[in-house]
């Protein structure tokens, strides 16, 4: 028996009104003429009454403020509904009654339940029927995750046909299944709440889908296991399978690497206890444990950085793309020093804010721009604006794109169009309004077309940083057309592509005007910054839009919430101003020169990769380049370690960037080091390829492969213990004579 009491409640229908009409009732549950005539009347007092009981429901759902029994003549603001809620409510009412209700009206003429319901009643066509809403507690909820996933649903509040009843039964079955799984020692499956059901149609999933389809198939589970974005990659059980020669090389390499970066290693160990840092552990594999640490740096200039052991590195990571001009370029340093002298006050409006916003608009060809501190915040704000102005919830994004650290964008899509969180701690509910498609495919386009009217925005990383050679121009143009026609927004996440190939970013490159663009990285000149720029009608959702002093104008547009303590930080503004002035001054020549250098680097490395017959290669876009390799290259991490050991600052999995500070000589050095490192790991057999007889350092670098210490030529012969320094790959090491 259920472990909760039945609650007996009676619900009475209103008595029929005897007003004659020929109209047909929408919610006709009983075709008797009396009922039809009752419900279909255009008797306004009756309909207005229904509207007035319905509206508090809508207001409650949007605000969470209980309005049952509220004074019908009290102003909404008096009832505790502030402008944020009223913006949302205006959209909901417009959608629900198919009658325009604006934020401004809710503040003025329609600011009470009475005035609003009278207005709606007058606006609705005479034949439009508004059904009596069932009592609050008896309705299945569909809005917030908390409402969708109650831990206990009072049984007495349910009807047999109610979706909640099915859901409750499904929950109970799952609890029992989990208990059985736990008793048999298996890990339990995640709980399926209505909102964690596969969302082939966001907000449209039913409990039944859960029982028909497993939560994730084995194939999908495999795909989901791949690390997402910059998540810390830790493999605790991969010990690698190496030949004796490879083991010798590895051991020599680890010694040499540790000797060169001794202080960095000590520093990392010393501070592990109190410094929690995912980046320090990423790349962990048992056989690489001793080299799993980053160079700890304390100095940089131009294209170079120096670690605390005094080693010099040519930097190709360059602040993950935030550095376009090299380290400490004098024009940014001067701007920062100047700002430091003046102060870095937070809170008051800063004199640089307007000027910087104007320059961003000029370069990006947008009307308005707003600031935040990171690219992630910019993406969050853009999504929020899209939902505010459209009143829709679904955001389309794409597999393989990266949009920062907000819960909603750390997800993967499965082939069955389920959205699954891609990191621990992100609840399935958090991604239920996201729909992830494959980027640039006709299938994706068809789905966008089909569902265009429920989409708040299509969010694209126009050139995915991990797939820099994929430039789906026609796809983007088609998405632009569909979204424009359907009243959905197109958001270009230009946090990396912005200002990179062209001053106008990917929009200029693809000749596609998005409604909103998100920016960061480069434009901050090394200071933390995020920017949302866009068309006036959308950006106005941040501040209510244009108004002026001295007349009756007011901020007309309903606003959403977007703020932050460090927004418009004077250092970020000062550095951004310096960067934007530099960009304006140099024009497109700046981007062209960076693109040419990066193209040369990629082409030369790729030519060499072809010679080595390895699938490793470089893809590039503007000043971004990204190493790519087949998924089965399990030892590719060695390439990045060797490169670091050879003085190139690079990490596996991250896009690389050239800056204005990289000279032709620097680029030659990077190419040369890549070639050396590739040859070495191909020659040692760590990755598939063919050295074509080339040798590291011009001579065979591997210990005699024919020698087998376990099989001496004369039974019982002892292995000599005299040590000799030998060259293993490019690293000298002391080996027992007998092992040579
Ligand atoms: N969008 C894109 C395309 C990005 O590449 C990134 C960061 N790499 C972000 C958003 C998030 O930016 P941030 O790290 O500044 O939050």
């Amino acid at each position: 028996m259920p472990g909760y009491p039945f609650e007996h409640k009676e619900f009475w229908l209103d008595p029929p009104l005897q007003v004659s009409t020929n109209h047909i009732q929408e919610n006709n549950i009983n075709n008797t003429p009396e009922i039809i005539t009752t419900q279909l009347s255009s008797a306004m007092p009756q309909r207005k009454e229904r509207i007035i009981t319905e509206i508090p429901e809508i207001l409650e759902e949007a605000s969470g403020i209980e309005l049952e029994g509220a004074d019908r003549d009290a102003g909404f603001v008096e009832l505790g509904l502030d402008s944020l809620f009223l913006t949302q409510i205006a959209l909901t009412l417009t959608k629900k009654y198919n009658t325009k209700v604006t934020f401004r009206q809710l503040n003025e003429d329609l600011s009470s339940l009475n005035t609003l319901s009278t207005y709606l009643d007058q606006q609705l066509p005479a034949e439009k029927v508004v059904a009596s809403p069932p009592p609050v507690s008896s309705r299945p909820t569909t809005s917030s995750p908390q409402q969708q996933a109650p831990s206990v649903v009072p049984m007495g509040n349910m009807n047999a046909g109610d979706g909640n009843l099915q859901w409750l039964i499904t929950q109970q079955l799952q609890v029992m299944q989990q208990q059985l799984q736990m008793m048999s020692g298996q890990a339990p499956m995640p709980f399926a709440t209505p909102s964690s059901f596969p969302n082939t149609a966001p907000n449209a999933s039913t409990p039944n889908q859960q029982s028909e389809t497993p939560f994730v198939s084995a194939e999908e589970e495999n795909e989901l296991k791949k690390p997402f974005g910059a998540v810390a990659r830790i493999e605790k059980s991969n010990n690698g399978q190496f030949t004796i020669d490879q083991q010798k090389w590895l051991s020599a390499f680890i010694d040499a690497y540790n000797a060169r970066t001794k202080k960095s290693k000590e520093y990392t160990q010393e501070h592990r206890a109190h410094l929690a840092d995912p980046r320090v552990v990423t790349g962990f594999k048992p056989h690489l444990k001793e080299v799993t640490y980053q160079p700890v740096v304390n100095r940089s200039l131009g294209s170079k950085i120096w670690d605390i052991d005094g080693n010099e590195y040519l930097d190709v990571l360059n602040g993950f793309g935030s550095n376009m001009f090299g380290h400490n370029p004098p024009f940014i340093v001067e701007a920062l020093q100047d700002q430091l002298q003046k102060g870095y006050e937070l809170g008051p409006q800063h004199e640089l804010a307007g000027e910087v916003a104007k320059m961003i608009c000029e370069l990006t060809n947008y009307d308005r721009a707003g600031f935040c501190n990171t690219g992630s915040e910019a993406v969050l704000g853009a999504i929020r604006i899209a939902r505010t102005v459209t009143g829709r919830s679904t955001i389309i994004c794409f597999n393989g794109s990266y949009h920062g650290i907000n819960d909603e964008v750390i997800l993967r899509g499965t082939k069955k169009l389920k959205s699954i969180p891609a990191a621990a701690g992100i609840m399935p509910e958090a991604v239920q309004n996201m729909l992830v498609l494959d980027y640039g495919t006709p299938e994706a386009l068809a789905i966008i077309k089909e569902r265009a009217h429920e989409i708040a925005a299509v969010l694209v990383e126009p050139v995915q940083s991990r797939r820099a050679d994929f430039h789906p121009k026609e796809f983007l143009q088609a998405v632009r057309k569909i979204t424009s026609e359907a009243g959905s927004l197109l958001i270009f996440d230009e946090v990396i592509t912005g200002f990179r190939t062209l001053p106008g970013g990917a929009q200029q490159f693809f000749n596609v005007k998005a409604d909103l663009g998100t920016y960061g990285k480069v434009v901050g000149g090394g200071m933390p910054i995020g920017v949302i720029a866009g068309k006036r009608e959308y950006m106005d959702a941040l501040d209510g839009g244009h108004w002026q002093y001295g007349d009756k104008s007011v901020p007309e547009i309903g606003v959403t919430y977007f703020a932050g303590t460090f927004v418009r930080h004077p250092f970020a503004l000062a550095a951004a101003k310096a960067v934007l002035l530099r960009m304006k001054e140099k024009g497109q020549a700046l981007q062209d020169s960076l693109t040419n250098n990066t193209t040369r680097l990629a082409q030369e490395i790729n030519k060499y990769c072809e010679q080595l017959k390895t699938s490793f290669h470089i893809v590039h876009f503007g000043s971004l380049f990204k190493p790519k390799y087949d998924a089965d290259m399990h030892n590719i991490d060695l390439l990045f370690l060797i490169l670091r050991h050879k003085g190139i600052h690079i990490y596996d999995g991250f896009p690389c960037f050239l800056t204005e500070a990289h000279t032709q000589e620097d680029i030659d050095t990077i190419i040369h080091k890549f070639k050396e490192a590739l040859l070495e790991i191909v020659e040692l057999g760590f990755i598939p390829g063919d050295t074509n007889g080339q040798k590291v350092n011009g001579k065979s670098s591997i210990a005699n492969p024919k020698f087998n210490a376990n099989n001496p030529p004369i039974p019982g012969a002892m292995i000599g213990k005299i040590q000799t320094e030998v060259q293993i790959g490019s690293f000298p090491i002391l080996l027992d004579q007998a092992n040579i």
Side-chain angles (χ1 to χ4, degrees), residues 374-376 379 402-404 461 493 495-496 521:
T374 64
S376 300
V379 169
Y402 184 73
H403 298 292
E461 187 187 3
D493 180 353
V495 169
I496 282 191
K521 300 206 189 232

Side-chain angles (χ1 to χ4, degrees), residues 62-74:
S63 66
I65 296 172
E66 263 214 41
L67 294 169
E68 216 176 332
D71 180 350
R72 293 175 172 195
D73 290 308

Side-chain angles (χ1 to χ4, degrees), residues 348-366:
Q349 181 59 286
H350 197 271
E351 66 170 355
L352 292 175
E355 198 182 346
V356 173
K358 197 171 173 192
M359 277 198 280
I360 289 173
C361 289
E362 258 175 62
L363 285 176
T364 58
N365 194 22
Y366 274 128

Side-chain angles (χ1 to χ4, degrees), residues 586-624:
K586 291 222 144 187
Q588 203 181 309
L590 167 72
Q591 284 89 357
D592 285 350
S593 140
L594 287 168
T595 303
N596 291 342
N597 287 344
T598 314
T599 307
R600 174 168 89 84
L601 178 141
Q603 281 175 348
E604 291 197 27
I605 294 173
N606 288 344
K607 210 162 94 197
Y608 189 69
C609 290
E610 276 172 34
Q611 286 172 25
L612 284 183
K613 297 194 173 58
T614 166
S615 67
F616 181 93
H617 64 288
I618 303 275
V619 292
H620 61 104
F621 178 70
S623 51
L624 174 153

Side-chain angles (χ1 to χ4, degrees), residues 103-148:
F103 165 73
R104 189 178 179 177
Q105 285 174 307
L106 293 180
N107 278 288
E108 294 171 2
D109 320 342
L110 313 180
S111 64
S112 72
L113 283 171
N114 246 338
T115 50
L116 177 61
S117 47
T118 307
Y119 170 80
L120 286 171
D121 190 39
Q122 283 163 357
Q123 297 299 311
L124 289 174
E127 70 276 13
K128 175 77 183 167
V129 172
V130 178
S132 276
V136 176
S137 52
S138 68
R139 264 179 273 165
T141 54
T142 52
S143 55
S144 73
Q146 297 95 306
Q147 287 168 313
Q148 284 177 328

Side-chain angles (χ1 to χ4, degrees), residues 32-285:
T32 59
E34 291 82 1
I35 296 281
I36 293 174
T37 50
T38 299
Q39 302 286 342
L40 295 187
S41 83
S42 54
M44 292 303 170
Q46 178 81 354
R47 187 167 71 178
K48 186 195 154 185
E49 195 52 36
R50 291 190 195 289
I51 293 172
I52 210 165
T53 47
E54 200 171 33
I55 290 174
E57 278 290 303
I58 296 168
L59 305 188
E60 279 181 30
E61 283 197 6
S63 66
I65 296 172
E66 263 214 41
L67 294 169
E68 216 176 332
D71 180 350
R72 293 175 172 195
D73 290 308
F76 292 136
V77 178
E78 244 177 286
L79 293 173
L81 296 160
D82 68 21
S83 56
L84 284 177
F85 296 138
L86 292 181
T87 303
Q88 185 58 37
I89 289 162
L91 290 162
T92 311
L93 292 171
T94 302
K95 215 162 104 183
K96 178 161 177 63
Y97 295 103
N98 207 12
T99 300
K100 186 129 186 96
V101 177
T102 66
F103 165 73
R104 189 178 179 177
Q105 285 174 307
L106 293 180
N107 278 288
E108 294 171 2
D109 320 342
L110 313 180
S111 64
S112 72
L113 283 171
N114 246 338
T115 50
L116 177 61
S117 47
T118 307
Y119 170 80
L120 286 171
D121 190 39
Q122 283 163 357
Q123 297 299 311
L124 289 174
E127 70 276 13
K128 175 77 183 167
V129 172
V130 178
S132 276
V136 176
S137 52
S138 68
R139 264 179 273 165
T141 54
T142 52
S143 55
S144 73
Q146 297 95 306
Q147 287 168 313
Q148 284 177 328
S151 52
V152 176
V153 180
M155 194 66 175
N157 289 340
M158 284 193 210
N159 302 316
D162 196 326
N164 273 341
L165 182 59
Q166 279 180 354
W167 176 78
L168 181 66
I169 292 166
T170 312
Q171 286 276 295
Q172 287 178 326
L173 287 173
Q174 282 181 351
V175 171
M176 284 161 69
Q177 204 179 346
Q178 289 203 338
Q179 285 168 338
L180 287 171
Q181 278 174 335
M182 281 200 273
M183 284 190 288
S184 64
Q186 294 169 30
M189 280 284 284
F191 249 71
T193 62
S195 46
S196 71
F197 288 141
N199 64 338
T200 47
N203 295 333
S205 50
T206 65
N208 289 338
Q209 283 174 287
Q210 173 67 13
S211 47
E212 283 161 14
T213 340
F215 191 61
V216 262
S217 70
E219 187 196 342
E220 285 167 349
E221 205 170 305
N222 230 1
E223 184 56 30
L224 299 174
K225 274 187 202 148
K226 289 188 189 160
F228 180 88
V231 73
R233 294 157 199 243
I234 304 171
E235 288 184 37
K236 283 181 266 196
S237 55
N238 178 356
N239 284 303
Q241 297 237 317
F242 301 111
T243 64
I244 289 177
D245 293 329
Q246 287 176 333
Q247 285 175 30
K248 281 181 194 163
W249 180 91
L250 208 50
S251 142
F253 173 72
I254 289 171
D255 286 351
Y257 192 97
N258 287 162
R260 185 172 185 269
T261 51
K262 190 166 176 289
K263 286 188 185 162
S264 284
K265 188 172 183 182
E266 283 168 3
Y267 174 99
T268 306
Q269 190 57 51
E270 184 190 336
H271 293 291
R272 200 182 319 278
H274 42 263
L275 176 61
D277 185 351
R279 203 136 285 159
V280 171
V281 68
T282 198
F284 183 97
K285 288 179 180 174

